[in-house]
Amino acid sequence: MTPELGVCYYPEHWPEEMWAADAARMMETGLKWVRIGEFAWSRMEPTPGDLRFDWLDRAVETLGAAGLKVVMGTPTATPPRWMLDKHPDMLAVDAQGNPRKFGSRRHYCFSHAGYIRECARIARIIGERYGRNPHVAAWQIDNEYGCHDTALSYGPSALQAFRVWLADQYGSIEALNTAWGNVFWSMEYDSFDQIDLPNLTVTEPNPAHVLAFRRFGSDQVVAFNKAQVDVLRPLTDAPLLHNYMGRVLEFDHFEIGADLDIATWDSYPIGFLSDRLEADEAHKTAFLQQGDPDMQAFHHDLYRAVGRGRWWVMEQQPGPVNWAPYNPAPLPGMVRLWSLEAVANGAEVVSYFRWRQAPFGQEQMHAGLQTPSGADAPGMAEARQTADDLARLGDVAPGKAQVAILFDYASDWAWTTQPQGAGFDYFRLVFSAYRALRRAGLSVDFISATDTPQDYRLILAPGLAVLDDALVGRVLNGCDLAIFGPRAGAITRDFQIPAQGRPGLPNLDCSVDLVETLPPESKRPVVGGGAAAHWVERLSGTAPDLLRFEDGTPALKGTDGLWYLAGFPDDTLWDRLIAKATDTVNLPIHAMPQGLRRRRTATHDVLINYNADPVTWNGIEIAGCDVLFLERDDI
Amino acid sequence: MTPELGVCYYPEHWPEEMWAADAARMMETGLKWVRIGEFAWSRMEPTPGDLRFDWLDRAVETLGAAGLKVVMGTPTATPPRWMLDKHPDMLAVDAQGNPRKFGSRRHYCFSHAGYIRECARIARIIGERYGRNPHVAAWQIDNEYGCHDTALSYGPSALQAFRVWLADQYGSIEALNTAWGNVFWSMEYDSFDQIDLPNLTVTEPNPAHVLAFRRFGSDQVVAFNKAQVDVLRPLTDAPLLHNYMGRVLEFDHFEIGADLDIATWDSYPIGFLSDRLEADEAHKTAFLQQGDPDMQAFHHDLYRAVGRGRWWVMEQQPGPVNWAPYNPAPLPGMVRLWSLEAVANGAEVVSYFRWRQAPFGQEQMHAGLQTPSGADAPGMAEARQTADDLARLGDVAPGKAQVAILFDYASDWAWTTQPQGAGFDYFRLVFSAYRALRRAGLSVDFISATDTPQDYRLILAPGLAVLDDALVGRVLNGCDLAIFGPRAGAITRDFQIPAQGRPGLPNLDCSVDLVETLPPESKRPVVGGGAAAHWVERLSGTAPDLLRFEDGTPALKGTDGLWYLAGFPDDTLWDRLIAKATDTVNLPIHAMPQGLRRRRTATHDVLINYNADPVTWNGIEIAGCDVLFLERDDI
Amino acid sequence: MTPELGVCYYPEHWPEEMWAADAARMMETGLKWVRIGEFAWSRMEPTPGDLRFDWLDRAVETLGAAGLKVVMGTPTATPPRWMLDKHPDMLAVDAQGNPRKFGSRRHYCFSHAGYIRECARIARIIGERYGRNPHVAAWQIDNEYGCHDTALSYGPSALQAFRVWLADQYGSIEALNTAWGNVFWSMEYDSFDQIDLPNLTVTEPNPAHVLAFRRFGSDQVVAFNKAQVDVLRPLTDAPLLHNYMGRVLEFDHFEIGADLDIATWDSYPIGFLSDRLEADEAHKTAFLQQGDPDMQAFHHDLYRAVGRGRWWVMEQQPGPVNWAPYNPAPLPGMVRLWSLEAVANGAEVVSYFRWRQAPFGQEQMHAGLQTPSGADAPGMAEARQTADDLARLGDVAPGKAQVAILFDYASDWAWTTQPQGAGFDYFRLVFSAYRALRRAGLSVDFISATDTPQDYRLILAPGLAVLDDALVGRVLNGCDLAIFGPRAGAITRDFQIPAQGRPGLPNLDCSVDLVETLPPESKRPVVGGGAAAHWVERLSGTAPDLLRFEDGTPALKGTDGLWYLAGFPDDTLWDRLIAKATDTVNLPIHAMPQGLRRRRTATHDVLINYNADPVTWNGIEIAGCDVLFLERDDI
């Protein structure tokens, strides 16, 4: 498969006279795909039932005639103003109880049955019109579920649906009371109709209540998406996809992914560095105009799993964006680097957001490949160069990694529900593991808690909230060495401490007797170097101590093929742990200099230099902001 | 009196089969008291009027039969869900106007007459059932008034009651207008019905309005408690008590205490260090797993005053808790140290919270003496050792201190109402005075503004908002030297600057002409060392200057037996001031090393080492985290 | 014109017996003006229609008889409580949707027609009564528009008025949709009645929507003020004025100023340093008791423009205030320094706030010239001394500066609407330019975007959001050299990127191709010294590069008489820029030491030393906190 490039385009934003020239220029630039339609409901249906698709017909025809493959979006992320007159209660409600007003996007509640029907209706109309159109080669449903904190709503539609969901999950109110431990603080209910949404309580609500609401919230997103999938499937043979946003964890992407054909995500490396990455100032300064060296690859690898091997970057940052606290420009070369790194991680398509910068609306300061006046923005030349690189490169097969990380959205919900300590969250823990693997020059696959992994040397499953024997069995069967912990198997699905104790690994005599959380300035040092930070567990059991804290308590216990880790490792401890684990399973590692990363595909060793300056590694010099595709020769 | 140990227990959380073994194990551990019932309303009365006390009868019988004395709690801190159907408007309302929803605890408004009647009803039912039960040896009313910011409510019940309270206080609206100075900004009212609660105003409301609301809020808590006292008194001869929470200042504990027989408080040293103590990082790091060396003793001494000599620790932290930003484990020895320190300060009972860690609900990560599975947690052995220590120690009489601090809840309300400067609050000021006395090796008593103290060498009354001649007279008669200020006598009861000027000390020619507040990095240095921080007053008057600021203005003025202090002293200035004052009254002091504290009882000199490492003082070595009871020999 | 002193006085706060003595003492102190009445509605009209002006008649007579000129205030900033019964929906609503309750001041919505009529009614009553009174020599309308974040309201009155305003501005909903670019995210409307206020949206609302709301909000304040102007004009010949608050930018002061005769503002140098100035800790510490050396002069110069030459300080801080985070006392000399600096900048009157400190209400900790008991506060002697200075000084003419800054309120609304980067805002940008001019010893005039400036050597127009050829032409005609940028001409009036590109300066071939925002720790260095911070633009065009960034891109482009600046200069770059510009136009500059400032009037060179210690400059020693009026000798 040869990876391809694409771009996001809004014909409704521009005079029709410009479309053909735009399409021709896209083709000249080497772009093969164009995404349209996903915010255009007010133009498709200006007033209820008044369908206007002539302009979209002409847009598809113009783009297709130029040779572009169209991704058609359903416009359900932006219900038009008249929708509120039909469904005044469709608005999502924030955790403070305020309805989220019209005037931007994503203002709907995922549980509003009337709005779900409207979405199915418009999807059917579009599907019927373009499902067999030869130019329409893929379908995007909605846009960035959960972005702007929209996965959860605290309004009446959500409340009603939550009660129904609970009744379905628990059968009887007695069962729910028992499962949640509602005898605590006299929180027992007499009927499902007494249960409220878990916001605005005096102190924290029952974590069982919150976690149920979080599971419900995810299920509602999955069902919302499924409603459109069910409409479109019979109407088209083109693949269905959604574009996820980075570090959005409020719903189970694996479950949505199972209903779709391709996973795509929206990659804004510089925006993410500024807006959603915990790092010290030196790191943020060093990579200010490049983005974090691991954040993109993490999501690439994650979405490869969500898409069961098929994934795209749907929106690739092409210049400064508008939404982060600070919005610097990418260093020259970075747009190409990001694009090629995605390819190295197996992307089928990398699509830039957006073709031409809009002169109006919320994103008018968001760069495109063209400036608002139609001149080339700096990203254009890099897109062109990337297209040439891809043509030279030919087929790229992602290959299978030798190391996997088990990623579990429900664990994030659990630890967000009851963090127990500031500075500890699931994403940070998993990401710190991922970085450590990358510092060792390793490529990484992700697996979900329902996957059956096979033939890995090493699987890491940090922070996995709920364990069961079947899951543990699948992991152990799928690798030579599995490392669980910290905070693994710490709760039941109903957020109770399991009766069998924690972590409850069937094959390891190791118990968590005590949990501590620590301020950042107080770490718990490990004999020989490194330390646990934020989170420390006190372990007992007959399993051998593989590492010990300086106070003599175990930091790592394990037997053949199964280790348990007692805390949140700092970087030094992660490095020691990865070295020890890979040594145990005879997997060679290669320490990478800061900012240089390596991705091994089936055919290449790809070196990606996020530094502004050149780096030499193993005798190879890589220029700053450059990518090298080397024939794979098992360095 | 020989101090005793106890524990908090929730029979409703565990199968009835476990109760007898639990009781036996408590006795083996040396525990004599067990508190039950205080959150069990949904099990006592699952639906309105459906009383179920058979299980509680059996629990009391089982525990009592084992030899334990029972503290019976009224369950009014956790109204069950059905209460909301009966009284939909009983919910407290937060300062933003949001009702505080069901789903945790303490969601009631103290002013809701219907709920107060429900509380009296359930108290009567329990009182009638267990008031003469030989195993029930004490009664706890409600639980931790004011915890989770629940003392004040901004809803309709509070509003209605506030208007009635105001009419009662002021008699006529004209009197209120005058007392509050409502001519300012045209805030005059025509009737009490026009007065709203003082939240959500454009800029700060009239401080007289806020302070009246704060006094009202305290009165409502006192009345709420009194309603249950009045029910229980005729039904039992056992003492009545409440368990206060640390650093909760929203109501007058002395007033509640006057209606009860014993004061108890809930001592969580490590949680408090993390959650509710201003200190620099070095201090917080040094005492991370021990708690602040003065915070517990401060409350012990304060509640000894609230209980007029009779006080307990009702909930003693036995391991990591769940609710602070960081929740590390106590160092070995600390659970015993905390227990024995309480005894040194005169506790009759120290009761651990809780017997066995719950595997469900909000506090499932809160350690108990047992783990969820029933194994010994680290606290168990220390409780056992403490019981042995107490047996060896025999009678302990708290003794009377030679120094007292006047503590006044209403002064906190006043300074919170109008702080005038960031970084200044009443608790911090008083606590800084307390620490300074302890650094000098002194033991401290607390007195209230209505007490008549006797035979003290020294009384400190920092930050006392309202002064009157009678109060000043009582203080002066009760000691050799009294130190008032800063910010003493600064307002009238209605939050006006007194017509006679500030501070208005009848026996001292000293006036406050000007008040300044300072950022933390700008202190006002005193000649000879030390400085005032946060708050500085410019004094005039013929009273001699005992200390001067470097700019020549007085820092301390005074005559025989009465000094006035012009600012918030830093530690160095406090130390100088205590040295000067004790020298003046011929009271010997002994500088204590960091983390080592001394408490003198009627019979012992007790040395308490909060440091992890040993300390030598006066030739005596005290191990880290250890307590020494020395025969009192006037060191 | 000889400048005069005045004071703010509240006869309603004091027994009538005190008035005559107060008036006599004011005269003795050298005060000529006394402002009264502006918060006294509840005393003028205790219940609806019950007019009580006898007390005010006597107050005016007493003050006037003593020789004082009275400024009469309309009391509309403090509607009394009964007004709410007549107009329950008059309350402003905050951005979270909460009505702002009675109990302080400024609780009205500027769009409430009923309240506007009430204000016109009371203005008419007062105007008819005192409009020809010989003692009433000026009229103040309302008090500190916009203070406490009150310019904007999000309630039903504002919503209704906003829709009417929009219909008036845009004519048709189609025109509005096009102007706002509502095709973006399907935000198109079918009617004006569908448009909501732009708060509580999911993510940011359309900037066009917000900017329209901000323009509307300003217009409402202007109209509110105009309603009282229209009533008073026929009733009096005395000048009308308003007292603006410092750094309040929510409405266009120039537009209000155009309807009035004199601009006045309320100058609280120490409060502003603590509360509303971004500066590093060293700077805040150095000027803690003096205030920032440029903040007052900035407002003096700005309000001289707002008042078209006629301006006062209506409220001059005389000692510690009550409302900032920290409230230290002025150093000795500062009250005089502030007063004389105002005179140096052309103030006709400097009026102290307030005569006697109130012992009640929100401002009871706000110092006056007298203490609450009527003793002299430290400010009194300095007022007296200032009066003597003014008598000696005689006439002072402000003179015309050779440098001007174009200040534009709408630009602040624009950049607040869409800041694009943290750390960039319009006030900070303009103030940094002003400081740089003052560091060069220059005096500064302000001009508005509608002014026709004349005969300036240099005009700076930083951050001017909207440019048009006429405006640029007026600026170029009015000076030898104009410097625009950064972020100039960046949007249309409807917040779109202009079709002609940015900045769109008709006489300069210079385009902004890209915009970047940077974190504070990452600056973009300029060859030769200095750097741009926060905000950087990438320029192209044939206009010569006058300065370049170290990466080779232009930092400053320009031709004869017109320069464009590509970023937010740090202090070093500002200094270089001012040096280069003044050198170009042959305007001599004189580097000023830290804290020493110079103001050139028509007759004097005034040196103002904000430092606590003496400074020598050009052979002249100026004592700390002192002001020297030198005969102008063209230093």
Side-chain angles (χ1 to χ4, degrees), chain B residues 380-391:
Chain B
M380 184 73 87
E382 298 200 28
R384 173 73 262 174
Q385 188 184 352
T386 305
D388 294 345
D389 290 335
L390 294 181

Short mmCIF file of all heavy atoms in Angstrom, two decimals, chain B residues 380-391:
data_model
loop_
_atom_site.label_atom_id
_atom_site.label_comp_id
_atom_site.label_asym_id
_atom_site.label_seq_id
_atom_site.Cartn_x
_atom_site.Cartn_y
_atom_site.Cartn_z
N MET B 380 -2.67 -1.46 63.47
CA MET B 380 -3.17 -2.34 64.54
C MET B 380 -2.11 -2.57 65.63
O MET B 380 -2.41 -2.45 66.83
CB MET B 380 -3.59 -3.68 63.93
CG MET B 380 -4.22 -4.64 64.93
SD MET B 380 -5.91 -4.14 65.40
CE MET B 380 -6.85 -4.94 64.09
N ALA B 381 -0.90 -2.85 65.19
CA ALA B 381 0.15 -3.14 66.18
C ALA B 381 0.44 -1.90 67.02
O ALA B 381 0.71 -2.01 68.23
CB ALA B 381 1.42 -3.60 65.45
N GLU B 382 0.34 -0.76 66.41
CA GLU B 382 0.62 0.46 67.18
C GLU B 382 -0.50 0.77 68.16
O GLU B 382 -0.27 1.30 69.25
CB GLU B 382 0.88 1.64 66.23
CG GLU B 382 2.11 1.41 65.35
CD GLU B 382 2.68 2.69 64.75
OE1 GLU B 382 2.52 3.76 65.35
OE2 GLU B 382 3.27 2.59 63.67
N ALA B 383 -1.74 0.45 67.77
CA ALA B 383 -2.85 0.61 68.71
C ALA B 383 -2.64 -0.31 69.91
O ALA B 383 -2.80 0.09 71.08
CB ALA B 383 -4.17 0.30 68.02
N ARG B 384 -2.24 -1.54 69.61
CA ARG B 384 -1.97 -2.54 70.67
C ARG B 384 -0.88 -2.02 71.61
O ARG B 384 -1.01 -2.06 72.84
CB ARG B 384 -1.52 -3.84 69.97
CG ARG B 384 -1.01 -4.97 70.84
CD ARG B 384 -2.12 -5.64 71.59
NE ARG B 384 -2.19 -5.11 72.95
CZ ARG B 384 -3.14 -5.42 73.83
NH1 ARG B 384 -4.14 -6.23 73.49
NH2 ARG B 384 -3.14 -4.92 75.03
N GLN B 385 0.20 -1.51 71.00
CA GLN B 385 1.32 -1.01 71.80
C GLN B 385 0.89 0.19 72.64
O GLN B 385 1.29 0.33 73.81
CB GLN B 385 2.45 -0.62 70.84
CG GLN B 385 3.75 -0.27 71.54
CD GLN B 385 4.81 0.21 70.56
OE1 GLN B 385 4.61 0.15 69.34
NE2 GLN B 385 5.93 0.67 71.07
N THR B 386 0.05 1.04 72.06
CA THR B 386 -0.44 2.21 72.79
C THR B 386 -1.28 1.77 73.99
O THR B 386 -1.17 2.34 75.10
CB THR B 386 -1.29 3.10 71.86
OG1 THR B 386 -0.51 3.43 70.71
CG2 THR B 386 -1.73 4.37 72.57
N ALA B 387 -2.10 0.74 73.79
CA ALA B 387 -2.90 0.23 74.90
C ALA B 387 -1.98 -0.24 76.03
O ALA B 387 -2.25 0.03 77.22
CB ALA B 387 -3.80 -0.91 74.41
N ASP B 388 -0.91 -0.92 75.68
CA ASP B 388 0.05 -1.37 76.70
C ASP B 388 0.68 -0.17 77.41
O ASP B 388 0.83 -0.17 78.64
CB ASP B 388 1.15 -2.21 76.04
CG ASP B 388 0.59 -3.51 75.48
OD1 ASP B 388 -0.56 -3.89 75.84
OD2 ASP B 388 1.28 -4.14 74.66
N ASP B 389 1.08 0.82 76.62
CA ASP B 389 1.66 2.02 77.21
C ASP B 389 0.72 2.66 78.22
O ASP B 389 1.13 3.08 79.31
CB ASP B 389 1.97 3.06 76.11
CG ASP B 389 3.11 2.65 75.21
OD1 ASP B 389 3.98 1.87 75.64
OD2 ASP B 389 3.14 3.14 74.06
N LEU B 390 -0.55 2.74 77.82
CA LEU B 390 -1.52 3.39 78.70
C LEU B 390 -1.70 2.60 79.98
O LEU B 390 -1.84 3.17 81.08
CB LEU B 390 -2.85 3.57 77.98
CG LEU B 390 -2.83 4.53 76.79
CD1 LEU B 390 -4.23 4.64 76.18
CD2 LEU B 390 -2.34 5.91 77.22
N ALA B 391 -1.69 1.30 79.85
CA ALA B 391 -1.83 0.45 81.04
C ALA B 391 -0.67 0.71 82.00
O ALA B 391 -0.86 0.84 83.21
CB ALA B 391 -1.88 -1.03 80.62
#
